[in-house]
Amino acid sequence: MDCVLHLSLERRLSITCSVLLCLVSLPGMSWAESKAADSQFVDIPEQGEVHFTTTEKEDQVPARFHLEPHSFPFTCEFKRMSGPVKVYDVTFPSPVKTDVKENNTVHGHYYQPEGPGPFPACVCLHILGGGFELSEMSANSLARQGIAALTIKMPYYAARRGSGAQSRRRMISFVPEHTAEGMTQAVLDIRRAAAWLASRQEVDAERLGVTGISLGGIMSALSAEAEPRFRKVAIYLGGGNLALGIWENPHKDAKRFRQHWLDNGGTFESFLEIMSPVDPHTYGKLLQDRDVLMVAAKHDEILPPKSAVALWESMGKKPELVWLDAGHISAAIYIFGETRRLTTFFSNWDRKKRSTDSTGS
């Protein structure tokens, strides 16, 4: 996908948002304050087991993302207080076993709101460049508004990267087969993340959602198509029709990839065949009965606007589509307004229409 070609830009976005996160974060509680607050939170065991059950719509899930009913263990350890929110380290095994041992454990942070609930809940997904500040900020903001949130590291990120020669493996790479494998594993990991949230006593299992930015936006759409429990989907700077976007990209790295692919006997059709099964555009109709928010950038230099339009059209042109007057990176200037839009979206489960202005506020 186009964002493969712009890791440096996404790192700049991550750095920018790190600064903004410092500006908006509230100081954490002291040890004494956290002890006093303990009684206001639902207890979470340090380890346990989650039972993954399917819904009546499991037969609509694309075959590569199907999961049979099963159980899986988890660990959960209190990490810190973030104002009125408890933050936990959460781990559970991936449903996929890879040659990289470290990649077979999913790591995440759970942001638990204060009170008994039941709260809506959301999985928050990170960007391509390996910066997790945006997803953590989104989760923190949601939890402060009474929406439980779980961030996870997708395959081959952070602690999942492996060591030695194996550490070079990436979820998104110039080897299309590796990309398709990584995206498939990520979707299955996210399905388990949804099951973990649904199992929580303070969470309303009927009000689950998923969100992310850039790569996280793409994966939010794809994982929602594979997980019927996600009733709300917020897609930021994401899109579909990914193979065509890469093939037409004028960047020198895209040209080098295309030439290498062609020199080794590949064609656009063979590239499309590999990428289509992990393209949210392929399964857009599965989101026609969900509440979907799409926020795109008019001048996106990483995922072209027509990619967002393609995904929107595949969903029957029904989702709310908000256009920001910005590029992929400069969209960071709208972060405060879009954080408000995001929390409003996940807070309101009855309201059908939200503001569609392009001011980001």
Side-chain angles (χ1 to χ4, degrees):
M1 63 193 64
D2 288 12
C3 53
V4 164
L5 312 173
H6 298 275
L7 277 169
S8 61
L9 290 177
E10 287 228 328
R11 290 191 184 103
R12 284 165 48 197
L13 175 61
S14 179
I15 292 169
T16 299
C17 292
S18 294
V19 175
L20 292 172
L21 179 60
C22 290
L23 292 175
V24 301
S25 293
L26 297 178
M29 289 185 179
S30 67
W31 180 86
E33 290 172 322
S34 67
K35 283 296 183 182
D38 278 349
S39 60
Q40 301 171 33
F41 290 83
V42 176
D43 289 337
I44 305 178
E46 292 185 357
Q47 54 186 352
E49 188 173 74
V50 172
H51 301 288
F52 181 94
T53 58
T54 56
T55 73
E56 68 278 4
K57 293 187 176 182
E58 187 67 25
D59 61 341
Q60 300 177 16
V61 173
R64 72 187 300 130
F65 305 130
H66 176 73
L67 286 174
E68 294 289 341
H70 64 279
S71 298
F72 62 91
F74 72 87
T75 66
C76 188
E77 181 180 358
F78 174 72
K79 181 179 180 183
R80 61 184 174 87
M81 295 297 300
S82 177
V85 174
K86 269 191 171 184
V87 185
Y88 290 85
D89 286 329
V90 177
T91 65
F92 54 85
S94 171
V96 177
K97 290 294 180 7
T98 68
D99 292 336
V100 181
K101 179 182 178 181
E102 294 87 344
N103 184 50
N104 298 333
T105 298
V106 182
H107 297 258
H109 292 143
Y110 178 50
Y111 289 76
Q112 184 188 38
E114 182 180 6
F119 303 110
C122 180
V123 177
C124 298
L125 303 175
H126 58 78
I127 63 175
L128 172 73
F132 310 110
E133 295 84 1
L134 273 173
S135 56
E136 300 292 336
M137 183 174 72
S138 295
N140 195 11
S141 298
L142 288 167
R144 287 168 186 259
Q145 296 301 316
I147 300 126
L150 176 66
T151 67
I152 68 165
K153 306 296 191 300
M154 288 188 279
Y156 303 103
Y157 278 91
R160 303 184 68 176
R161 183 151 286 176
S163 58
Q166 292 181 325
S167 66
R168 292 194 291 270
R169 181 69 183 263
R170 296 291 184 268
M171 174 178 155
I172 306 296
S173 78
F174 284 108
V175 180
E177 293 87 351
H178 289 179
T179 294
E181 290 170 4
M183 292 177 72
T184 299
Q185 182 179 11
V187 169
L188 297 175
D189 292 345
I190 294 164
R191 295 202 70 186
R192 277 195 173 178
W196 188 88
L197 280 174
S199 74
R200 291 297 313 134
Q201 178 183 334
E202 71 276 14
V203 167
D204 182 352
E206 299 300 316
R207 292 187 292 164
L208 298 182
V210 61
T211 188
I213 299 173
S214 191
L215 173 62
I218 294 170
M219 295 308 301
S220 293
L222 187 62
S223 60
E225 291 161 349
E227 181 46 76
R229 290 178 181 82
F230 287 139
R231 300 306 307 164
K232 280 182 176 282
V233 190
I235 303 164
Y236 274 81
L237 307 183
N241 215 0
L242 305 176
L244 183 62
I246 298 172
W247 206 258
E248 294 182 344
N249 193 294
H251 193 278
K252 63 179 182 179
D253 288 342
K255 292 179 180 178
R256 189 173 74 248
F257 163 74
R258 288 193 296 271
Q259 192 59 54
H260 181 269
W261 185 252
L262 293 170
D263 289 346
N264 285 273
T267 63
F268 171 70
E269 288 72 24
S270 63
F271 179 53
L272 181 64
E273 184 179 359
I274 294 170
M275 293 302 298
S276 288
V278 291
D279 190 329
H281 177 264
T282 303
Y283 316 106
K285 65 180 181 180
L286 295 176
L287 296 184
Q288 291 183 5
D289 65 341
R290 317 293 179 88
D291 190 6
V292 180
L293 167 66
M294 289 189 66
V295 178
K298 292 180 181 178
H299 316 293
D300 200 316
E301 68 277 25
I302 294 180
L303 280 168
K306 66 180 181 180
S307 179
V309 172
L311 179 56
W312 178 72
E313 289 179 342
S314 75
M315 292 185 273
K317 301 182 180 180
K318 293 181 180 179
E320 178 182 353
L321 178 54
V322 178
W323 289 101
L324 303 178
D325 189 12
H328 198 85
I329 306 305
S330 59
I333 65 175
Y334 293 105
I335 193 167
F336 298 116
E338 290 310 311
T339 297
R340 288 195 295 271
R341 191 194 304 275
L342 183 70
T343 55
T344 298
F345 176 70
F346 280 108
S347 295
N348 196 330
W349 287 78
D350 297 315
R351 188 179 172 192
K352 299 299 182 184
K353 186 176 180 180
R354 294 168 301 278
S355 171
T356 58
D357 65 78
S358 60
T359 62
S361 60

